[in-house]
PDB file of all heavy atoms in Angstrom:
ATOM      1  N   TYR C   1     209.050 122.079  69.397  1.00 87.00           N
ATOM      2  CA  TYR C   1     209.961 121.800  68.291  1.00 87.00           C
ATOM      3  C   TYR C   1     210.077 120.305  68.008  1.00 87.00           C
ATOM      4  O   TYR C   1     210.492 119.913  66.908  1.00 87.00           O
ATOM      5  CB  TYR C   1     211.325 122.424  68.577  1.00 87.00           C
ATOM      6  CG  TYR C   1     211.320 123.924  68.365  1.00 87.00           C
ATOM      7  CD1 TYR C   1     211.249 124.797  69.444  1.00 87.00           C
ATOM      8  CD2 TYR C   1     211.338 124.452  67.082  1.00 87.00           C
ATOM      9  CE1 TYR C   1     211.216 126.178  69.250  1.00 87.00           C
ATOM     10  CE2 TYR C   1     211.314 125.829  66.879  1.00 87.00           C
ATOM     11  CZ  TYR C   1     211.244 126.678  67.963  1.00 87.00           C
ATOM     12  OH  TYR C   1     211.200 128.033  67.757  1.00 87.00           O
ATOM     13  N   ARG C   2     209.700 119.471  68.963  1.00 88.00           N
ATOM     14  CA  ARG C   2     209.601 118.047  68.651  1.00 88.00           C
ATOM     15  C   ARG C   2     208.457 117.814  67.665  1.00 88.00           C
ATOM     16  O   ARG C   2     208.575 117.011  66.727  1.00 88.00           O
ATOM     17  CB  ARG C   2     209.384 117.221  69.929  1.00 88.00           C
ATOM     18  CG  ARG C   2     210.597 117.166  70.818  1.00 88.00           C
ATOM     19  CD  ARG C   2     210.596 115.913  71.707  1.00 88.00           C
ATOM     20  NE  ARG C   2     209.469 115.890  72.615  1.00 88.00           N
ATOM     21  CZ  ARG C   2     209.483 116.408  73.837  1.00 88.00           C
ATOM     22  NH1 ARG C   2     210.566 117.022  74.281  1.00 88.00           N
ATOM     23  NH2 ARG C   2     208.426 116.310  74.616  1.00 88.00           N
ATOM     24  N   ASP C   3     207.355 118.522  67.865  1.00 89.00           N
ATOM     25  CA  ASP C   3     206.245 118.456  66.908  1.00 89.00           C
ATOM     26  C   ASP C   3     206.686 118.978  65.543  1.00 89.00           C
ATOM     27  O   ASP C   3     206.326 118.421  64.503  1.00 89.00           O
ATOM     28  CB  ASP C   3     205.054 119.271  67.411  1.00 89.00           C
ATOM     29  CG  ASP C   3     204.437 118.692  68.675  1.00 89.00           C
ATOM     30  OD1 ASP C   3     204.679 117.510  68.959  1.00 89.00           O
ATOM     31  OD2 ASP C   3     203.727 119.438  69.379  1.00 89.00           O
ATOM     32  N   PHE C   4     207.480 120.043  65.557  1.00 89.00           N
ATOM     33  CA  PHE C   4     207.995 120.629  64.319  1.00 89.00           C
ATOM     34  C   PHE C   4     208.812 119.615  63.539  1.00 89.00           C
ATOM     35  O   PHE C   4     208.666 119.466  62.317  1.00 89.00           O
ATOM     36  CB  PHE C   4     208.834 121.864  64.668  1.00 89.00           C
ATOM     37  CG  PHE C   4     209.328 122.638  63.488  1.00 89.00           C
ATOM     38  CD1 PHE C   4     208.545 123.606  62.888  1.00 89.00           C
ATOM     39  CD2 PHE C   4     210.598 122.413  62.973  1.00 89.00           C
ATOM     40  CE1 PHE C   4     208.996 124.330  61.796  1.00 89.00           C
ATOM     41  CE2 PHE C   4     211.063 123.125  61.885  1.00 89.00           C
ATOM     42  CZ  PHE C   4     210.261 124.088  61.304  1.00 89.00           C
ATOM     43  N   ALA C   5     209.688 118.888  64.249  1.00 91.00           N
ATOM     44  CA  ALA C   5     210.538 117.883  63.597  1.00 91.00           C
ATOM     45  C   ALA C   5     209.696 116.759  62.997  1.00 91.00           C
ATOM     46  O   ALA C   5     210.015 116.239  61.918  1.00 91.00           O
ATOM     47  CB  ALA C   5     211.529 117.319  64.610  1.00 91.00           C
ATOM     48  N   THR C   6     208.633 116.377  63.682  1.00 92.00           N
ATOM     49  CA  THR C   6     207.746 115.323  63.162  1.00 92.00           C
ATOM     50  C   THR C   6     207.024 115.790  61.911  1.00 92.00           C
ATOM     51  O   THR C   6     206.898 115.043  60.925  1.00 92.00           O
ATOM     52  CB  THR C   6     206.722 114.915  64.231  1.00 92.00           C
ATOM     53  OG1 THR C   6     207.411 114.458  65.394  1.00 92.00           O
ATOM     54  CG2 THR C   6     205.817 113.810  63.708  1.00 92.00           C
ATOM     55  N   VAL C   7     206.558 117.024  61.927  1.00 93.00           N
ATOM     56  CA  VAL C   7     205.823 117.567  60.773  1.00 93.00           C
ATOM     57  C   VAL C   7     206.732 117.673  59.554  1.00 93.00           C
ATOM     58  O   VAL C   7     206.286 117.471  58.421  1.00 93.00           O
ATOM     59  CB  VAL C   7     205.198 118.943  61.126  1.00 93.00           C
ATOM     60  CG1 VAL C   7     204.661 119.630  59.880  1.00 93.00           C
ATOM     61  CG2 VAL C   7     204.100 118.762  62.154  1.00 93.00           C
ATOM     62  N   ILE C   8     208.006 117.974  59.755  1.00 94.00           N
ATOM     63  CA  ILE C   8     208.953 118.033  58.639  1.00 94.00           C
ATOM     64  C   ILE C   8     208.940 116.706  57.877  1.00 94.00           C
ATOM     65  O   ILE C   8     208.903 116.679  56.633  1.00 94.00           O
ATOM     66  CB  ILE C   8     210.380 118.339  59.144  1.00 94.00           C
ATOM     67  CG1 ILE C   8     210.486 119.792  59.595  1.00 94.00           C
ATOM     68  CG2 ILE C   8     211.414 118.065  58.040  1.00 94.00           C
ATOM     69  CD1 ILE C   8     211.813 120.129  60.248  1.00 94.00           C
ATOM     70  N   ILE C   9     208.965 115.593  58.614  1.00 94.00           N
ATOM     71  CA  ILE C   9     208.961 114.272  57.978  1.00 94.00           C
ATOM     72  C   ILE C   9     207.684 114.052  57.183  1.00 94.00           C
ATOM     73  O   ILE C   9     207.718 113.622  56.021  1.00 94.00           O
ATOM     74  CB  ILE C   9     209.117 113.166  59.047  1.00 94.00           C
ATOM     75  CG1 ILE C   9     210.460 113.302  59.755  1.00 94.00           C
ATOM     76  CG2 ILE C   9     208.981 111.783  58.402  1.00 94.00           C
ATOM     77  CD1 ILE C   9     210.633 112.349  60.920  1.00 94.00           C
ATOM     78  N   LEU C  10     206.538 114.372  57.781  1.00 94.00           N
ATOM     79  CA  LEU C  10     205.249 114.151  57.111  1.00 94.00           C
ATOM     80  C   LEU C  10     205.111 115.028  55.869  1.00 94.00           C
ATOM     81  O   LEU C  10     204.649 114.562  54.809  1.00 94.00           O
ATOM     82  CB  LEU C  10     204.105 114.430  58.086  1.00 94.00           C
ATOM     83  CG  LEU C  10     204.051 113.534  59.328  1.00 94.00           C
ATOM     84  CD1 LEU C  10     202.915 113.969  60.255  1.00 94.00           C
ATOM     85  CD2 LEU C  10     203.878 112.078  58.931  1.00 94.00           C
ATOM     86  N   VAL C  11     205.519 116.286  55.976  1.00 94.00           N
ATOM     87  CA  VAL C  11     205.417 117.201  54.835  1.00 94.00           C
ATOM     88  C   VAL C  11     206.365 116.770  53.721  1.00 94.00           C
ATOM     89  O   VAL C  11     206.021 116.837  52.532  1.00 94.00           O
ATOM     90  CB  VAL C  11     205.713 118.653  55.270  1.00 94.00           C
ATOM     91  CG1 VAL C  11     205.790 119.576  54.053  1.00 94.00           C
ATOM     92  CG2 VAL C  11     204.644 119.148  56.228  1.00 94.00           C
ATOM     93  N   ASP C  12     207.540 116.295  54.091  1.00 94.00           N
ATOM     94  CA  ASP C  12     208.497 115.832  53.078  1.00 94.00           C
ATOM     95  C   ASP C  12     207.933 114.641  52.309  1.00 94.00           C
ATOM     96  O   ASP C  12     208.027 114.590  51.074  1.00 94.00           O
ATOM     97  CB  ASP C  12     209.819 115.450  53.743  1.00 94.00           C
ATOM     98  CG  ASP C  12     210.857 115.016  52.730  1.00 94.00           C
ATOM     99  OD1 ASP C  12     211.239 115.835  51.873  1.00 94.00           O
ATOM    100  OD2 ASP C  12     211.282 113.847  52.772  1.00 94.00           O
ATOM    101  N   ILE C  13     207.330 113.692  53.009  1.00 92.00           N
ATOM    102  CA  ILE C  13     206.736 112.524  52.341  1.00 92.00           C
ATOM    103  C   ILE C  13     205.611 112.960  51.408  1.00 92.00           C
ATOM    104  O   ILE C  13     205.508 112.477  50.270  1.00 92.00           O
ATOM    105  CB  ILE C  13     206.220 111.518  53.392  1.00 92.00           C
ATOM    106  CG1 ILE C  13     207.402 110.907  54.153  1.00 92.00           C
ATOM    107  CG2 ILE C  13     205.400 110.410  52.715  1.00 92.00           C
ATOM    108  CD1 ILE C  13     206.997 110.032  55.313  1.00 92.00           C
ATOM    109  N   CYS C  14     204.773 113.890  51.850  1.00 92.00           N
ATOM    110  CA  CYS C  14     203.685 114.393  50.996  1.00 92.00           C
ATOM    111  C   CYS C  14     204.233 115.117  49.776  1.00 92.00           C
ATOM    112  O   CYS C  14     203.708 114.972  48.661  1.00 92.00           O
ATOM    113  CB  CYS C  14     202.782 115.335  51.797  1.00 92.00           C
ATOM    114  SG  CYS C  14     201.805 114.525  53.077  1.00 92.00           S
ATOM    115  N   THR C  15     205.300 115.873  49.964  1.00 92.00           N
ATOM    116  CA  THR C  15     205.923 116.589  48.842  1.00 92.00           C
ATOM    117  C   THR C  15     206.458 115.616  47.809  1.00 92.00           C
ATOM    118  O   THR C  15     206.260 115.795  46.591  1.00 92.00           O
ATOM    119  CB  THR C  15     207.063 117.487  49.351  1.00 92.00           C
ATOM    120  OG1 THR C  15     206.545 118.434  50.288  1.00 92.00           O
ATOM    121  CG2 THR C  15     207.717 118.241  48.192  1.00 92.00           C
ATOM    122  N   VAL C  16     207.129 114.576  48.279  1.00 89.00           N
ATOM    123  CA  VAL C  16     207.657 113.559  47.365  1.00 89.00           C
ATOM    124  C   VAL C  16     206.523 112.901  46.591  1.00 89.00           C
ATOM    125  O   VAL C  16     206.625 112.670  45.374  1.00 89.00           O
ATOM    126  CB  VAL C  16     208.452 112.496  48.152  1.00 89.00           C
ATOM    127  CG1 VAL C  16     208.800 111.308  47.260  1.00 89.00           C
ATOM    128  CG2 VAL C  16     209.729 113.108  48.708  1.00 89.00           C
ATOM    129  N   PHE C  17     205.433 112.602  47.267  1.00 85.00           N
ATOM    130  CA  PHE C  17     204.316 111.908  46.632  1.00 85.00           C
ATOM    131  C   PHE C  17     203.637 112.771  45.573  1.00 85.00           C
ATOM    132  O   PHE C  17     203.416 112.339  44.440  1.00 85.00           O
ATOM    133  CB  PHE C  17     203.298 111.484  47.695  1.00 85.00           C
ATOM    134  CG  PHE C  17     202.119 110.749  47.133  1.00 85.00           C
ATOM    135  CD1 PHE C  17     202.209 109.393  46.839  1.00 85.00           C
ATOM    136  CD2 PHE C  17     200.922 111.400  46.886  1.00 85.00           C
ATOM    137  CE1 PHE C  17     201.123 108.706  46.313  1.00 85.00           C
ATOM    138  CE2 PHE C  17     199.832 110.730  46.363  1.00 85.00           C
ATOM    139  CZ  PHE C  17     199.928 109.379  46.071  1.00 85.00           C
ATOM    140  N   PHE C  18     203.317 114.008  45.928  1.00 87.00           N
ATOM    141  CA  PHE C  18     202.536 114.851  45.016  1.00 87.00           C
ATOM    142  C   PHE C  18     203.379 115.510  43.934  1.00 87.00           C
ATOM    143  O   PHE C  18     202.873 115.828  42.856  1.00 87.00           O
ATOM    144  CB  PHE C  18     201.774 115.916  45.809  1.00 87.00           C
ATOM    145  CG  PHE C  18     200.630 115.354  46.611  1.00 87.00           C
ATOM    146  CD1 PHE C  18     200.709 115.259  47.998  1.00 87.00           C
ATOM    147  CD2 PHE C  18     199.484 114.892  45.986  1.00 87.00           C
ATOM    148  CE1 PHE C  18     199.661 114.728  48.739  1.00 87.00           C
ATOM    149  CE2 PHE C  18     198.428 114.364  46.710  1.00 87.00           C
ATOM    150  CZ  PHE C  18     198.515 114.283  48.096  1.00 87.00           C
ATOM    151  N   ARG C  19     204.678 115.723  44.173  1.00 85.00           N
ATOM    152  CA  ARG C  19     205.528 116.355  43.166  1.00 85.00           C
ATOM    153  C   ARG C  19     206.308 115.341  42.329  1.00 85.00           C
ATOM    154  O   ARG C  19     206.951 115.720  41.359  1.00 85.00           O
ATOM    155  CB  ARG C  19     206.548 117.301  43.816  1.00 85.00           C
ATOM    156  CG  ARG C  19     205.997 118.590  44.350  1.00 85.00           C
ATOM    157  CD  ARG C  19     207.112 119.601  44.569  1.00 85.00           C
ATOM    158  NE  ARG C  19     207.684 120.044  43.311  1.00 85.00           N
ATOM    159  CZ  ARG C  19     208.927 119.786  42.911  1.00 85.00           C
ATOM    160  NH1 ARG C  19     209.730 119.040  43.644  1.00 85.00           N
ATOM    161  NH2 ARG C  19     209.376 120.250  41.752  1.00 85.00           N
ATOM    162  N   SER C  20     206.263 114.063  42.718  1.00 83.00           N
ATOM    163  CA  SER C  20     207.108 113.062  42.055  1.00 83.00           C
ATOM    164  C   SER C  20     208.554 113.548  42.029  1.00 83.00           C
ATOM    165  O   SER C  20     209.215 113.607  40.987  1.00 83.00           O
ATOM    166  CB  SER C  20     206.617 112.782  40.629  1.00 83.00           C
ATOM    167  OG  SER C  20     205.312 112.262  40.645  1.00 83.00           O
ATOM    168  N   SER C  21     209.046 113.918  43.221  1.00 83.00           N
ATOM    169  CA  SER C  21     210.344 114.593  43.346  1.00 83.00           C
ATOM    170  C   SER C  21     211.521 113.784  42.816  1.00 83.00           C
ATOM    171  O   SER C  21     212.558 114.345  42.477  1.00 83.00           O
ATOM    172  CB  SER C  21     210.596 114.942  44.813  1.00 83.00           C
ATOM    173  OG  SER C  21     209.611 115.823  45.293  1.00 83.00           O
ATOM    174  N   TYR C  22     211.379 112.463  42.772  1.00 84.00           N
ATOM    175  CA  TYR C  22     212.518 111.639  42.396  1.00 84.00           C
ATOM    176  C   TYR C  22     212.407 111.064  40.991  1.00 84.00           C
ATOM    177  O   TYR C  22     213.142 110.129  40.642  1.00 84.00           O
ATOM    178  CB  TYR C  22     212.693 110.504  43.411  1.00 84.00           C
ATOM    179  CG  TYR C  22     212.838 111.004  44.827  1.00 84.00           C
ATOM    180  CD1 TYR C  22     212.165 110.392  45.884  1.00 84.00           C
ATOM    181  CD2 TYR C  22     213.634 112.109  45.115  1.00 84.00           C
ATOM    182  CE1 TYR C  22     212.292 110.860  47.179  1.00 84.00           C
ATOM    183  CE2 TYR C  22     213.764 112.592  46.400  1.00 84.00           C
ATOM    184  CZ  TYR C  22     213.086 111.963  47.426  1.00 84.00           C
ATOM    185  OH  TYR C  22     213.223 112.439  48.707  1.00 84.00           O
ATOM    186  N   LYS C  23     211.543 111.626  40.180  1.00 83.00           N
ATOM    187  CA  LYS C  23     211.423 111.160  38.806  1.00 83.00           C
ATOM    188  C   LYS C  23     212.717 111.439  38.046  1.00 83.00           C
ATOM    189  O   LYS C  23     213.206 112.566  38.005  1.00 83.00           O
ATOM    190  CB  LYS C  23     210.249 111.862  38.112  1.00 83.00           C
ATOM    191  CG  LYS C  23     210.022 111.385  36.685  1.00 83.00           C
ATOM    192  CD  LYS C  23     208.820 112.092  36.055  1.00 83.00           C
ATOM    193  CE  LYS C  23     208.596 111.616  34.630  1.00 83.00           C
ATOM    194  NZ  LYS C  23     207.451 112.303  34.000  1.00 83.00           N
ATOM    195  N   ASP C  24     213.296 110.406  37.460  1.00 81.00           N
ATOM    196  CA  ASP C  24     214.543 110.513  36.684  1.00 81.00           C
ATOM    197  C   ASP C  24     215.699 111.073  37.510  1.00 81.00           C
ATOM    198  O   ASP C  24     216.636 111.663  36.960  1.00 81.00           O
ATOM    199  CB  ASP C  24     214.343 111.399  35.437  1.00 81.00           C
ATOM    200  CG  ASP C  24     213.374 110.781  34.449  1.00 81.00           C
ATOM    201  OD1 ASP C  24     213.319 109.543  34.374  1.00 81.00           O
ATOM    202  OD2 ASP C  24     212.666 111.543  33.763  1.00 81.00           O
ATOM    203  N   ILE C  25     215.668 110.885  38.817  1.00 84.00           N
ATOM    204  CA  ILE C  25     216.705 111.502  39.658  1.00 84.00           C
ATOM    205  C   ILE C  25     218.099 110.965  39.342  1.00 84.00           C
ATOM    206  O   ILE C  25     219.085 111.698  39.406  1.00 84.00           O
ATOM    207  CB  ILE C  25     216.369 111.298  41.157  1.00 84.00           C
ATOM    208  CG1 ILE C  25     217.340 112.118  42.026  1.00 84.00           C
ATOM    209  CG2 ILE C  25     216.390 109.822  41.538  1.00 84.00           C
ATOM    210  CD1 ILE C  25     216.946 112.178  43.477  1.00 84.00           C
ATOM    211  N   ILE C  26     218.193 109.713  38.940  1.00 80.00           N
ATOM    212  CA  ILE C  26     219.501 109.133  38.662  1.00 80.00           C
ATOM    213  C   ILE C  26     220.135 109.770  37.428  1.00 80.00           C
ATOM    214  O   ILE C  26     221.353 109.901  37.338  1.00 80.00           O
ATOM    215  CB  ILE C  26     219.392 107.607  38.467  1.00 80.00           C
ATOM    216  CG1 ILE C  26     218.813 106.950  39.725  1.00 80.00           C
ATOM    217  CG2 ILE C  26     220.752 106.998  38.152  1.00 80.00           C
ATOM    218  CD1 ILE C  26     219.655 107.143  40.962  1.00 80.00           C
ATOM    219  N   ARG C  27     219.323 110.195  36.487  1.00 78.00           N
ATOM    220  CA  ARG C  27     219.830 110.733  35.221  1.00 78.00           C
ATOM    221  C   ARG C  27     219.971 112.256  35.224  1.00 78.00           C
ATOM    222  O   ARG C  27     220.451 112.826  34.255  1.00 78.00           O
ATOM    223  CB  ARG C  27     218.905 110.318  34.071  1.00 78.00           C
ATOM    224  CG  ARG C  27     218.793 108.809  33.910  1.00 78.00           C
ATOM    225  CD  ARG C  27     217.871 108.456  32.752  1.00 78.00           C
ATOM    226  NE  ARG C  27     217.687 107.028  32.635  1.00 78.00           N
ATOM    227  CZ  ARG C  27     218.523 106.203  32.010  1.00 78.00           C
ATOM    228  NH1 ARG C  27     219.601 106.681  31.438  1.00 78.00           N
ATOM    229  NH2 ARG C  27     218.280 104.910  31.960  1.00 78.00           N
ATOM    230  N   ARG C  28     219.549 112.915  36.262  1.00 84.00           N
ATOM    231  CA  ARG C  28     219.610 114.378  36.285  1.00 84.00           C
ATOM    232  C   ARG C  28     221.047 114.888  36.316  1.00 84.00           C
ATOM    233  O   ARG C  28     221.900 114.323  36.992  1.00 84.00           O
ATOM    234  CB  ARG C  28     218.890 114.917  37.522  1.00 84.00           C
ATOM    235  CG  ARG C  28     217.388 114.742  37.544  1.00 84.00           C
ATOM    236  CD  ARG C  28     216.862 115.257  38.863  1.00 84.00           C
ATOM    237  NE  ARG C  28     215.483 114.893  39.086  1.00 84.00           N
ATOM    238  CZ  ARG C  28     214.886 114.942  40.269  1.00 84.00           C
ATOM    239  NH1 ARG C  28     215.569 115.360  41.314  1.00 84.00           N
ATOM    240  NH2 ARG C  28     213.624 114.576  40.397  1.00 84.00           N
ATOM    241  N   GLY C  29     221.263 116.010  35.607  1.00 84.00           N
ATOM    242  CA  GLY C  29     222.544 116.691  35.681  1.00 84.00           C
ATOM    243  C   GLY C  29     222.596 117.596  36.897  1.00 84.00           C
ATOM    244  O   GLY C  29     221.641 117.707  37.665  1.00 84.00           O
ATOM    245  N   TYR C  30     223.721 118.292  37.071  1.00 89.00           N
ATOM    246  CA  TYR C  30     223.923 119.115  38.256  1.00 89.00           C
ATOM    247  C   TYR C  30     222.913 120.259  38.360  1.00 89.00           C
ATOM    248  O   TYR C  30     222.354 120.506  39.433  1.00 89.00           O
ATOM    249  CB  TYR C  30     225.345 119.687  38.258  1.00 89.00           C
ATOM    250  CG  TYR C  30     226.423 118.639  38.368  1.00 89.00           C
ATOM    251  CD1 TYR C  30     227.305 118.395  37.321  1.00 89.00           C
ATOM    252  CD2 TYR C  30     226.559 117.880  39.526  1.00 89.00           C
ATOM    253  CE1 TYR C  30     228.294 117.429  37.425  1.00 89.00           C
ATOM    254  CE2 TYR C  30     227.545 116.908  39.643  1.00 89.00           C
ATOM    255  CZ  TYR C  30     228.401 116.689  38.580  1.00 89.00           C
ATOM    256  OH  TYR C  30     229.366 115.721  38.698  1.00 89.00           O
ATOM    257  N   LEU C  31     222.684 120.973  37.262  1.00 92.00           N
ATOM    258  CA  LEU C  31     221.793 122.130  37.315  1.00 92.00           C
ATOM    259  C   LEU C  31     220.339 121.713  37.522  1.00 92.00           C
ATOM    260  O   LEU C  31     219.602 122.358  38.275  1.00 92.00           O
ATOM    261  CB  LEU C  31     221.930 122.963  36.034  1.00 92.00           C
ATOM    262  CG  LEU C  31     223.277 123.673  35.853  1.00 92.00           C
ATOM    263  CD1 LEU C  31     223.302 124.448  34.548  1.00 92.00           C
ATOM    264  CD2 LEU C  31     223.543 124.620  37.023  1.00 92.00           C
ATOM    265  N   ILE C  32     219.926 120.650  36.846  1.00 91.00           N
ATOM    266  CA  ILE C  32     218.555 120.174  37.029  1.00 91.00           C
ATOM    267  C   ILE C  32     218.355 119.694  38.464  1.00 91.00           C
ATOM    268  O   ILE C  32     217.322 119.963  39.087  1.00 91.00           O
ATOM    269  CB  ILE C  32     218.233 119.043  36.032  1.00 91.00           C
ATOM    270  CG1 ILE C  32     218.275 119.584  34.598  1.00 91.00           C
ATOM    271  CG2 ILE C  32     216.872 118.422  36.332  1.00 91.00           C
ATOM    272  CD1 ILE C  32     218.040 118.525  33.536  1.00 91.00           C
ATOM    273  N   GLU C  33     219.360 119.007  39.001  1.00 93.00           N
ATOM    274  CA  GLU C  33     219.262 118.545  40.392  1.00 93.00           C
ATOM    275  C   GLU C  33     219.186 119.715  41.356  1.00 93.00           C
ATOM    276  O   GLU C  33     218.421 119.682  42.340  1.00 93.00           O
ATOM    277  CB  GLU C  33     220.461 117.662  40.736  1.00 93.00           C
ATOM    278  CG  GLU C  33     220.311 116.930  42.059  1.00 93.00           C
ATOM    279  CD  GLU C  33     219.099 116.021  42.069  1.00 93.00           C
ATOM    280  OE1 GLU C  33     219.037 115.087  41.256  1.00 93.00           O
ATOM    281  OE2 GLU C  33     218.192 116.273  42.891  1.00 93.00           O
ATOM    282  N   LEU C  34     219.954 120.767  41.097  1.00 94.00           N
ATOM    283  CA  LEU C  34     219.908 121.951  41.950  1.00 94.00           C
ATOM    284  C   LEU C  34     218.520 122.579  41.904  1.00 94.00           C
ATOM    285  O   LEU C  34     217.958 122.939  42.948  1.00 94.00           O
ATOM    286  CB  LEU C  34     220.961 122.962  41.506  1.00 94.00           C
ATOM    287  CG  LEU C  34     220.983 124.286  42.278  1.00 94.00           C
ATOM    288  CD1 LEU C  34     221.244 124.041  43.763  1.00 94.00           C
ATOM    289  CD2 LEU C  34     222.028 125.226  41.691  1.00 94.00           C
TER     290      LEU C  34
END
């Protein structure tokens, strides 16, 4: 599970990079953010 915790970080960074997860994040409303 230590390996699991490390992989969570790596997968999250890859998700942010490939999905552009934070595009316009400051301007998003509640439903779009959800």
Side-chain angles (χ1 to χ4, degrees):
Y1 284 102
R2 289 205 297 270
D3 294 341
F4 185 85
T6 302
V7 169
I8 288 174
I9 297 174
L10 298 177
V11 172
D12 182 62
I13 292 173
C14 291
T15 300
V16 170
F17 181 81
F18 289 108
R19 287 197 68 247
S20 298
S21 298
Y22 304 136
K23 182 179 180 181
D24 295 329
I25 188 170
I26 301 299
R27 300 180 184 277
R28 291 177 191 164
Y30 296 114
L31 292 179
I32 295 177
E33 191 60 62
L34 177 60

